[in-house]
Amino acid sequence: MRCEDKWIERVEKIQWWDFPVRVIRNNYDLFKAELTLDVIEQLEKLKEELKEE
């Protein structure tokens, strides 16, 4: 596997595939980046921001 299990669990919990298309487009570089802990944390932040909308 390319990622640690705990990272996979976090990404699955984020459910980025349900993000509005505009969010994915506006953060394209983040979505095409290699998966790192920093990227996961940024995705989690985006999810929290979407909850506040």
Side-chain angles (χ1 to χ4, degrees):
M1 293 182 68
R2 294 185 310 168
C3 303
E4 296 179 34
D5 287 343
K6 61 184 175 184
W7 287 14
I8 293 169
E9 291 174 20
R10 286 174 74 176
V11 170
E12 288 177 344
K13 186 176 179 182
I14 295 167
Q15 296 180 346
W16 64 266
W17 49 87
D18 289 334
F19 286 10
V21 172
R22 68 175 167 74
V23 172
I24 296 172
R25 284 187 180 142
N26 291 341
N27 295 279
Y28 179 73
D29 290 339
L30 178 64
F31 285 93
K32 72 175 189 169
E34 180 178 341
L35 189 63
T36 63
L37 186 55
D38 182 55
V39 168
I40 293 171
E41 289 171 350
Q42 290 180 53
L43 289 170
E44 290 170 335
K45 182 178 177 184
L46 278 175
K47 183 171 178 119
E48 287 302 313
E49 290 172 359
L50 285 171
K51 287 181 182 179
E52 296 172 3
E53 287 187 353

